[in-house]
Amino acid sequence: MNQSLTPAVEQVMRDAARLAVMPRFGTAGAALVADKREGNGGSEPVTAADRECEAILSERLAGLIPGAHVVGEEAVHHRPDLLDRLSAGTCWIVDPLDGTANFAAGTGPFGLLVALADNGIPVGGWILDPLSGRFCAALSGQGATIDGLAFRTAPAARARPVMAVTRLFPDSDRRARLLAELAEGAEVIDSPRCAADQYPRIAGGENDITLFTRTLPWDHAAGVLFLNEAGGRAARPDGTPYRCDDRREGLIAAVDPVIWDRTARQLESLGETLALTVEAA
């Protein structure tokens, strides 16, 4: 893939953040304008920043690769059939404002996520933190960068790894049991609902592992590619690679493959798949 794509995507994302996101941060313009209901009983807040930012990203990214589809989080809410485009050739995947609830509350973390997929496989991933200006990028087979500099993860070194666990478990008792088991060998913390924060945090060694249940493409495609290209590992609990068109749930992201394997074996021994809905035996 042409490396000139990254500076072009970076400019688009920084412009979208400058025009649609940051002018509203900490003001009345960050207020929620809608609340999307989800099939699992949860909800997703929406602000004017989500909508305007997605419109800017969608229009300008489409111009970078003529003929490429665009699948944005807000657009899919109104047209679920757009998800079919994830398997159809080249496709941009857009999360205009990950961590909307934090943004609306006037705090972080939040960020912009853009990925490029080829027939369902992530081949490009970009993450912008508008608060710090940090820009993470990865192209398939070409490594990862942070703010334009090549970046590699360092192996986990803590005796008790720091493990962030998503709060998106509809069964609170199930989550409590899992946390109790994991706490025997790890420092377990809550993972805020912001994948744009979690993937750079893992790569940088602030967290060693994060366990995700819901794995929507706009939340994870960019981060999975970035972490894998940086030397970490993100994959389904059974070891299969993440695909943007795979609607299964559950994902383990770790700073290095060794700790990923250890965590996957532990979850398997506990019978935990991280799926939000568990099939009856």
Side-chain angles (χ1 to χ4, degrees):
M1 184 177 295
N2 192 332
Q3 291 188 351
S4 66
L5 190 60
T6 287
V9 173
E10 179 178 4
Q11 188 62 59
V12 170
M13 293 176 74
R14 290 193 184 279
D15 286 349
R18 176 177 55 82
L19 294 170
V21 177
M22 295 311 294
R24 294 183 169 95
F25 182 56
T27 74
L32 302 183
V33 296
D35 195 5
K36 299 178 294 189
R37 308 309 298 179
E38 298 179 324
N40 62 11
S43 64
E44 279 291 324
V46 182
T47 70
D50 294 81
R51 293 174 174 174
E52 183 180 350
C53 188
E54 181 165 308
I56 294 170
L57 291 171
S58 297
E59 179 180 3
R60 291 188 54 183
L61 290 171
L64 296 181
I65 303 179
H69 300 297
V70 180
V71 174
E73 178 181 7
E74 303 309 318
V76 167
H77 176 65
H78 299 286
R79 285 191 54 194
D81 61 292
L82 291 175
L83 289 171
D84 295 337
R85 296 181 176 181
L86 295 172
S87 303
T90 302
C91 180
W92 293 105
I93 304 168
V94 174
D95 188 337
L97 184 54
D98 189 46
T100 296
N102 299 330
F103 173 81
T107 186
F110 58 87
L112 283 66
L113 291 159
V114 170
L116 186 67
D118 181 19
N119 293 312
I121 299 173
V123 294
W126 301 272
I127 308 170
L128 174 64
D129 178 350
L131 290 173
S132 69
R134 181 189 62 205
F135 185 73
C136 302
L139 297 175
S140 181
Q142 299 184 39
T145 62
I146 296 180
D147 295 330
L149 301 177
F151 177 81
R152 295 288 294 179
T153 63
R158 299 181 181 94
R160 285 175 58 84
V162 176
M163 180 182 295
V165 180
T166 179
R167 289 173 283 188
L168 291 176
F169 278 85
D171 183 341
S172 59
D173 289 340
R174 173 185 164 201
R175 184 177 188 269
R177 290 192 299 270
L178 176 61
L179 295 186
E181 292 282 356
L182 296 173
E184 294 183 9
E187 186 69 30
V188 181
I189 62 174
D190 285 337
S191 172
R193 292 180 64 173
C194 185
D197 171 72
Q198 279 299 299
Y199 283 102
R201 184 177 292 272
I202 299 163
E206 296 175 74
N207 293 354
D208 298 300
I209 316 154
T210 298
L211 305 183
F212 297 102
T213 49
R214 195 180 65 171
T215 57
L216 296 168
W218 41 82
D219 289 330
H220 293 279
V224 164
L225 183 67
F226 170 73
L227 185 59
N228 286 335
E229 287 290 325
R233 187 177 187 199
R236 298 292 184 184
D238 65 2
T240 54
Y242 179 83
R243 289 183 57 95
C244 304
D245 55 359
D246 182 351
R247 301 192 189 184
R248 289 182 296 166
E249 296 162 335
L251 188 74
I252 304 171
V255 70
D256 68 58
V258 173
I259 199 168
W260 190 98
D261 288 338
R262 188 187 312 153
T263 304
R265 289 195 301 269
Q266 183 180 14
L267 292 179
E268 183 179 21
S269 71
L270 297 173
E272 178 56 65
T273 64
L274 300 179
L276 289 170
T277 54
V278 180
E279 297 291 337

